[in-house]
Amino acid sequence: MKLLGLFFLSFTLLFLCPFISQADVPERSREPPRPIVFVHNDRSKSDPQQVHISLAGKDHMRVTFITEDNEVKSVVEYGKQPGKYDGKATGESTSYKYFFYKSGKIHHVKIGPLQPNTTYYYRCGGNGPEFSFKTPPTTFPVEFVIVGDLGQTEWTAATLSQIKSQDYDVFLLPGDLSYADTSQPLWDSFGRLVEPLASQRPWMVTEGNHEIEFFPIIEHTTFKSYNARWLMPHTESLSNSNLYYSFDVAGVHTVMLGSYTDFDSDSDQYQWLQADLAKVDRKTTPWVVVLLHAPWYNTNEAHEGEGESMRVAMECLLFSARVDVVFSGHVHAYERFKRVYNNKADPCGPIYITIGDGGNREGLALSFKKPPSPLSDYRESSFGHGRLKVMDGKRAHWSWHRNNDSNSLLADEVWLESLSTSSSCWPSSRSRDEL
């Protein structure tokens, strides 16, 4: 099976991955893509691997792990002291086949209720190493790390190392995780690569185009690997699809949308989003953040206009709900816009930020259109990551950190004010439902 996996990996990388053409390098020369980092399994077949956690409704966490041994039970033991587990939960498991590949046993176990801002120690499947995680706080401040198009290259490893050097509460990833692109062993490698971070803080992800993995004749089920491995709280947020969902952390409501599933006004996703945003109480949840993969606003020549149809369909919902910030990936660069609505600067529209610069194998999107758009405040083709630190119900600090190989350099920052506090965006003469 290992030989078949290596054969399939080599076959895919040579013949199936898309060819990438580099645009002209702008004034400042950029570092080229770097080799893939393939992480092998060094544990026994019964030991858990690829461990990651995700938020799963109020006071609960979902622990996901994979074992090569199908006899291992889907159980997680946990407690507040190392080696002492006073809690135990049983979950469910799944597996899938893709061409010659068969996955290990994928376990999903929901644990809780858990106390906020607390470290828990846990063991998966009754065997193997002990892990630990810290639950997010229920009050401000709260800090999110945000990075898209992560992949698994030497650049990715550097970005993850820089993220780990400074604490945070929740990791947000707006699509394009492993860049497996049908080569399933790369999903396993990615899970092992991110485990040191993803087992300690909740990782909340949405899908990108590299998760589709449609293969003519052989595989017609889209998102097969992604849905099996990265189960998100769609059921807990009343969504019928793992491709879009929402969750709350402290006073921040975060919505994860799907760029590659139906989004027009009669779609399930549209109807779900409309209902989800209508339930948000901005007095108790003053911040609303949205993540999706294909950007609605973009002045890079890469993927130009690919998010336009979704913008036309859904932008009015985000504007009416006074969404504060929209993060996207897809374009392998960083760009921050002003508050925008319908292609015009609008003080009541969201700030749009593209952050598809995690370190993927395709390299950077080097060509921005000239002259710069007056709507774009900052843009740069470099790898890096962002941090959103929400200080209270009114203020948040956004910072983007350039990946300068061994160092993380602060390259862009701005203070944000929640639209929930803007009297001009919530006219007293009209109710919020009428906006």
Side-chain angles (χ1 to χ4, degrees):
M1 185 58 70
K2 288 185 178 179
L3 290 176
L4 284 174
L6 290 174
F7 162 77
F8 192 54
L9 171 61
S10 302
F11 178 81
T12 303
L13 292 177
L14 285 172
F15 298 108
L16 302 180
C17 293
F19 292 100
I20 305 303
S21 59
Q22 290 289 352
D24 293 336
V25 178
E27 297 177 2
R28 177 178 164 191
S29 179
R30 306 296 178 189
E31 293 287 344
R34 289 186 175 179
I36 288 176
V37 175
F38 190 89
V39 183
H40 295 273
N41 182 28
D42 59 0
R43 297 175 190 162
S44 73
K45 290 186 177 182
S46 60
D47 282 350
Q49 57 166 299
Q50 306 176 50
V51 179
H52 67 261
I53 62 171
S54 54
L55 301 172
K58 181 177 174 59
D59 304 329
H60 285 71
M61 198 78 74
R62 179 173 286 109
V63 179
T64 296
F65 61 99
I66 297 178
T67 56
E68 295 180 7
D69 184 353
N70 289 327
E71 299 302 316
V72 175
K73 303 296 184 183
S74 300
V75 297
V76 171
E77 303 161 277
Y78 59 99
K80 297 179 185 177
Q81 298 181 48
K84 295 183 178 181
Y85 311 124
D86 51 15
K88 184 177 181 179
T90 301
E92 59 188 16
S93 66
T94 187
S95 63
Y96 70 93
K97 294 180 179 179
Y98 196 105
F99 200 20
F100 295 132
Y101 174 90
K102 186 180 187 306
S103 76
K105 187 175 182 179
I106 304 170
H107 308 259
H108 300 293
V109 183
K110 186 173 177 179
I111 65 175
L114 305 172
Q115 293 182 356
N117 204 26
T118 301
T119 297
Y120 284 87
Y121 300 86
Y122 65 104
R123 185 173 65 176
C124 305
N127 196 31
E130 180 179 75
F131 299 89
S132 67
F133 65 77
K134 184 171 77 69
T135 54
T138 54
T139 58
F140 299 119
V142 61
E143 184 164 352
F144 301 87
V145 160
I146 306 168
V147 60
D149 299 71
L150 195 55
Q152 47 189 310
T153 69
E154 291 178 358
W155 280 116
T156 309
T159 298
L160 292 175
S161 176
Q162 292 162 14
I163 291 171
K164 193 175 183 179
S165 67
Q166 183 179 337
D167 200 11
Y168 60 96
D169 297 301
V170 180
F171 191 108
L172 304 178
L173 204 167
D176 283 0
L177 284 68
S178 70
Y179 282 76
D181 291 321
T182 75
S183 180
Q184 299 306 300
L186 285 176
W187 273 111
D188 294 313
S189 172
F190 177 80
R192 299 178 195 120
L193 176 67
V194 303
E195 182 189 82
L197 282 79
S199 63
Q200 295 184 353
R201 299 291 182 273
W203 276 42
M204 311 306 292
V205 305
T206 190
E207 82 283 0
N209 55 301
H210 286 272
E211 276 73 63
I212 297 174
E213 296 191 302
F214 171 85
F215 198 105
I217 302 176
I218 296 173
E219 184 54 68
H220 292 169
T221 303
T222 55
F223 305 106
K224 189 175 192 177
S225 314
Y226 171 80
N227 283 332
R229 294 170 181 270
W230 291 85
L231 180 60
M232 293 289 113
H234 65 280
T235 301
E236 291 84 352
S237 56
L238 305 181
S239 165
N240 293 324
S241 171
N242 194 49
L243 303 180
Y244 50 89
Y245 62 94
S246 67
F247 62 93
D248 292 327
V249 175
V252 183
H253 184 70
T254 302
V255 179
M256 311 292 272
L257 295 179
S259 295
Y260 302 97
T261 187
D262 291 343
F263 47 68
D264 54 23
S265 59
D266 60 354
S267 67
D268 287 344
Q269 180 175 203
Y270 186 100
Q271 300 299 324
W272 170 84
L273 175 62
Q274 190 173 42
D276 182 80
L277 291 174
K279 291 183 291 187
V280 179
D281 182 352
R282 297 300 286 270
K283 292 181 180 179
T284 57
T285 314
W287 292 88
V288 178
V289 174
V290 170
L291 281 84
L292 49 89
H293 189 60
W296 293 358
Y297 291 94
N298 168 35
T299 69
N300 198 294
E301 293 181 0
H303 303 299
E304 185 177 0
E306 290 186 16
E308 180 63 9
S309 58
M310 189 180 189
R311 182 194 70 81
V312 171
M314 287 186 155
E315 186 180 24
C316 59
L317 295 181
L318 272 59
F319 181 74
S320 296
R322 299 298 186 254
V323 168
D324 293 294
V325 193
V326 177
F327 294 99
S328 61
H330 203 35
V331 176
H332 301 162
Y334 170 73
E335 184 167 20
R336 175 172 57 82
F337 287 84
K338 298 180 183 343
R339 291 196 176 278
V340 181
Y341 176 60
N342 198 23
N343 288 297
K344 296 179 182 178
D346 191 309
C348 299
I351 292 173
Y352 286 85
I353 296 176
T354 300
I355 190 157
D357 55 356
N360 63 85
R361 60 171 167 76
E362 295 177 339
L364 294 163
L366 298 170
S367 186
F368 282 103
K369 293 185 290 185
K370 295 180 181 179
S373 166
L375 298 178
S376 179
D377 276 344
Y378 188 99
R379 57 187 193 173
E380 181 178 326
S381 297
S382 293
F383 292 122
H385 74 278
R387 290 175 177 265
L388 180 67
K389 187 169 186 178
V390 184
M391 307 302 296
D392 50 39
K394 182 177 181 180
R395 299 173 304 123
H397 181 258
W398 166 253
S399 58
W400 178 66
H401 304 257
R402 182 189 303 125
N403 181 347
N404 194 29
D405 199 1
S406 60
N407 299 310
S408 178
L409 301 177
L410 176 61
D412 181 42
E413 62 179 333
V414 64
W415 282 94
L416 312 180
E417 184 171 316
S418 172
L419 291 179
S420 66
T421 66
S422 174
S423 58
S424 61
C425 292
W426 302 97
S428 56
S429 59
R430 301 172 65 192
S431 72
R432 297 184 182 189
D433 291 338
E434 294 175 319
L435 286 172

